[in-house]
Amino acid sequence: MASRTVVKAVQDLPGCSRLVWTTIEITKAGRAGQAERALDLFEAMPVKNQVAWNAALAALVDAGRTDWALSFFREMPRRNATSYTSMIGGLSRAGGAAAALARGLFEELPLDQHNVFTLTAMVSCHVRNGEPDKAVELFVTLYGEFFARGMLPNAHTFSSLLKACAGIRSLSVALQLHALIVKLVCEGNRHCFVWNALIDVHAKLGTLSDAEKVFYGMRCRDICSWNIMMYGYSRHKLVDRALDLFRMTRKKDAFTWNIIISCLGENHLGEGALRLFIDLVRLDSHCSRDAKLNASIYTTVLHVCSVMVLLAFGRQVHARTIKDGIGQSNVSVCNSLLSMYSSCGAILDLERVFKEMTVRDIISWNSVIQGLGQNGLGRQALAVAQRALELKMYNGNTFIAILTSCSHAGLVTEGLSYFDCMTEKHGVEPTLDHYISVIDLLGRAGRLEEAYGLLRKMPFAPNAVAWSTLLHSCLAHKNSVMGSIAAQELRALQPDGSRENYERLVQGCGGCSMADEILVGNEKSANHTPGCSWLT
């Protein structure tokens, strides 16, 4: 009924005004997700020009009705570059095989009818769908032809191409694009995002000095500029520079705080990270609109609590998440809570969080299985694992968690049973990590011959972790013969391992004379440190 009223009102307008007004209303309907209303308005138009057809197509695309838009596109009496740009953009967001279909449409349009918008749409489509190499290849192939026609790339083209360079890790292409940007893109607030993309690609590709030159040479910077440069310092572990930039940033947003807190946490400065978090909480309490606590910040801080085993502080953060209304509904925050309580050995809290979660993903189930298992509750871990398998909430990491739980609890029969049925019953192909988990399972139980046999027969070349796992089991069970074999293999894979490290391991197996034979000429420093746990 409402649609008929709108159509009647449109029909009462003069011809030219009616056409313009309807086209505008079609666009509004599409942006509001009202595809049906947009098409009703379009169908009611007595005269439909190319602008109206393109507006209706864009409305379907904006409403997310990609299949409908594609059918409409094929029915259009005429199509121009704008039509193709809209359709390529819609297919770009659809994902999957739609990217290949978009490329087909791009090549369907004659080259002399293309413009910078069709090129940008196709480059962006490739980048969005994980095909950065194709984006760069397309640009390189067509640039000469388009340049001869005076069709130059714009700021959005360059922004997508710089992301592609980061994806394929091509510094040479990034440097050439940098030169083009300097020539073709004027500085200013409108194009700030291009210079931000330059900072980002230089930082990611290791040319931090070039990133700094771009940043400090910008006449106009926005908050993203500061955040990207700070993140570049963080990636390169330049904590002092990141902190200096943080202090210089006048208008900090949630990303600013999250970057610096993560930077400190990842560089073993957890106490400093938590101090900054406390400062942010105080700012948030004073209603700072720019720096509000969000799920990403909570996730970062909970990870710091997990690493530092700060149960009391973690509980306070948990309380704050509940106060902010994300303590049960946000799956990332809940998964971080599970990890934190697991690391701190707070099993009751772990189970309570899991029980109260309104949404669970595979990571949630894996975290609980792993948490129960590493805290010695193997049977409970397997009970949760069985539920996860029944609900089809599992992946390869689920079986790593199961096997680890069985290993810690001495449940050898159960662990081997899960390993044997991985492929046939659950469709998960065992990886090297799964085999190493079983080697650890057998080795901890003293079944060293079986562990060694599995290591030799597995369809992967044994790596240092596999031999080290067997060697530590030999150390625990005083098996000097097999221990010396494992030590020799490990030394071959890690020739820079220290004499002291191998000597301690081999002599621990009771093979003092063997240690001398294995360690001849080996005097370099060690890179390998045996695994350990905060909890016993």
Side-chain angles (χ1 to χ4, degrees):
M1 186 66 182
S3 180
R4 291 178 184 174
T5 304
V6 171
V7 170
K8 180 67 171 67
V10 172
Q11 291 172 345
D12 292 339
L13 291 171
C16 182
S17 298
R18 184 191 311 164
L19 181 63
V20 174
W21 186 90
T22 307
T23 303
I24 293 171
E25 287 301 306
I26 289 171
T27 302
K28 287 182 179 178
R31 290 174 179 170
Q34 300 170 350
E36 289 79 5
R37 179 171 179 270
L39 262 293
D40 284 344
L41 288 167
F42 175 77
E43 293 296 339
M45 296 176 72
V47 178
K48 303 177 179 69
N49 61 9
Q50 187 65 52
V51 175
W53 279 95
N54 286 342
L57 175 65
L60 293 174
V61 168
D62 289 340
R65 307 294 288 271
T66 308
D67 291 338
W68 192 358
L70 189 57
S71 298
F72 185 86
F73 176 82
R74 292 300 187 194
E75 293 170 4
M76 292 173 69
R78 291 188 308 278
R79 295 182 287 270
N80 60 11
T82 303
S83 317
Y84 280 88
T85 299
S86 294
M87 198 63 248
I88 291 169
L91 291 168
S92 171
R93 293 187 288 274
L101 183 57
R103 182 61 182 264
L105 291 182
F106 179 85
E107 293 175 351
E108 176 184 297
L109 183 68
L111 197 59
D112 61 352
Q113 295 182 34
H114 278 284
N115 59 27
V116 66
F117 303 108
T118 56
L119 174 63
T120 302
M122 195 63 242
V123 167
S124 176
C125 177
H126 282 311
V127 175
R128 183 191 288 266
N129 288 277
E131 300 172 336
D133 53 331
K134 292 184 179 180
V136 173
E137 180 186 9
L138 177 68
F139 178 76
V140 170
T141 302
L142 296 181
Y143 179 72
E145 174 77 23
F146 287 172
F147 183 81
R149 291 171 43 206
M151 195 191 90
L152 302 176
N154 63 21
H156 295 281
T157 318
F158 285 125
S159 179
S160 292
L161 285 168
L162 288 170
K163 291 178 183 176
C165 288
I168 63 174
R169 302 201 60 77
S170 176
L171 180 59
S172 60
V173 176
L175 290 172
Q176 294 177 66
L177 290 173
H178 190 163
L180 283 173
I181 291 168
V182 171
K183 291 180 180 179
L184 301 177
V185 181
C186 61
E187 285 196 57
N189 289 330
R190 280 184 57 228
H191 298 142
C192 194
F193 65 93
V194 182
W195 303 96
N196 291 343
L198 268 175
I199 298 169
D200 187 52
V201 74
H202 280 304
K204 287 179 177 176
L205 298 182
T207 51
L208 194 60
S209 59
D210 286 332
E212 290 178 315
K213 288 177 184 177
V214 174
F215 176 76
Y216 289 107
M218 291 172 68
R219 290 197 294 268
C220 299
R221 303 187 194 111
D222 59 13
I223 186 60
C224 291
S225 313
W226 294 85
N227 288 346
I228 292 169
M229 190 68 246
M230 195 186 308
Y231 184 63
Y233 285 138
S234 176
R235 284 173 62 91
H236 290 269
K237 301 187 182 299
L238 298 173
V239 181
D240 290 338
R241 291 193 196 180
L243 278 170
D244 287 342
L245 208 59
F246 175 77
R247 296 185 185 107
M248 290 167 59
T249 307
R250 294 181 180 179
K251 188 178 180 181
K252 301 176 177 68
D253 63 7
F255 292 107
T256 314
W257 288 91
N258 196 24
I259 290 167
I260 197 65
I261 291 171
S262 297
C263 176
L264 293 174
E266 290 168 2
N267 286 280
H268 311 293
L269 298 169
E271 185 176 339
L274 297 182
R275 288 183 187 278
L276 282 176
F277 173 71
I278 292 170
D279 290 342
L280 178 57
V281 170
R282 288 169 180 161
L283 282 174
D284 186 60
S285 300
H286 289 85
C287 301
S288 173
R289 289 179 297 175
D290 298 322
K292 299 290 290 183
L293 288 162
N294 60 20
S296 183
I297 292 173
Y298 280 124
T299 299
T300 300
V301 171
L302 287 167
H303 176 69
V304 173
C305 292
S306 177
V307 171
M308 298 182 70
V309 198
L310 297 175
L311 179 58
F313 196 97
R315 281 179 172 150
Q316 293 180 58
V317 177
H318 186 182
R320 180 76 193 204
T321 65
I322 294 172
K323 179 181 177 182
D324 288 351
I326 60 174
Q328 297 174 341
S329 59
N330 187 284
V331 68
S332 296
V333 172
C334 289
N335 288 344
S336 296
L337 285 167
L338 293 173
S339 178
M340 185 272 294
Y341 283 129
S342 172
S343 296
C344 296
I347 299 304
L348 293 178
D349 294 291
L350 170 76
E351 293 176 323
R352 187 181 301 114
V353 170
F354 185 70
K355 182 179 180 181
E356 293 175 352
M357 288 176 69
T358 55
V359 179
R360 298 169 183 157
D361 61 9
I362 292 176
I363 296 174
S364 312
W365 289 92
N366 291 352
S367 297
V368 174
I369 298 167
Q370 187 77 35
L372 292 170
Q374 75 180 23
N375 284 284
L377 301 173
R379 294 289 182 188
Q380 288 177 238
L382 293 186
V384 175
Q386 196 56 46
R387 286 169 56 199
L389 295 174
E390 291 169 359
L391 294 171
K392 307 295 182 184
M393 296 292 288
Y394 63 86
N395 58 15
N397 289 333
T398 310
F399 286 92
I400 296 289
I402 290 171
L403 293 168
T404 301
S405 299
C406 291
S407 181
H408 283 293
L411 303 174
V412 180
T413 303
E414 292 83 348
L416 292 176
S417 176
Y418 277 106
F419 180 71
D420 290 338
C421 71
M422 274 178 60
T423 304
E424 185 176 340
K425 187 174 180 180
H426 302 290
V428 177
E429 290 293 331
T431 65
L432 177 60
D433 289 337
H434 292 105
Y435 278 94
I436 292 174
S437 296
V438 178
I439 291 168
D440 182 60
L441 172 72
L442 294 168
R444 283 175 182 260
R447 295 164 63 167
L448 299 175
E449 292 290 344
E450 292 176 67
Y452 178 66
L454 179 64
L455 187 148
R456 283 296 193 188
K457 294 177 183 177
M458 63 183 184
F460 306 97
N463 62 5
V465 177
W467 286 112
S468 181
T469 301
L470 180 62
L471 182 55
H472 281 86
S473 294
C474 292
L475 172 64
H477 294 282
K478 306 293 184 183
N479 189 316
S480 61
V481 176
M482 197 170 295
S484 65
I485 296 172
Q488 286 175 326
E489 295 288 350
L490 189 57
R491 180 176 176 244
L493 291 170
Q494 293 184 327
D496 58 344
S498 73
R499 178 182 180 87
E500 292 79 10
N501 191 37
Y502 287 110
E503 187 172 27
R504 180 179 63 82
L505 289 170
V506 178
Q507 289 184 351
C509 294
C512 298
S513 59
M514 295 178 196
D516 294 332
E517 180 182 345
I518 294 169
L519 302 166
V520 172
N522 189 9
E523 300 291 346
K524 298 182 181 179
S525 62
N527 286 329
H528 174 73
T529 303
C532 63
S533 173
W534 283 97
L535 304 171
T536 57

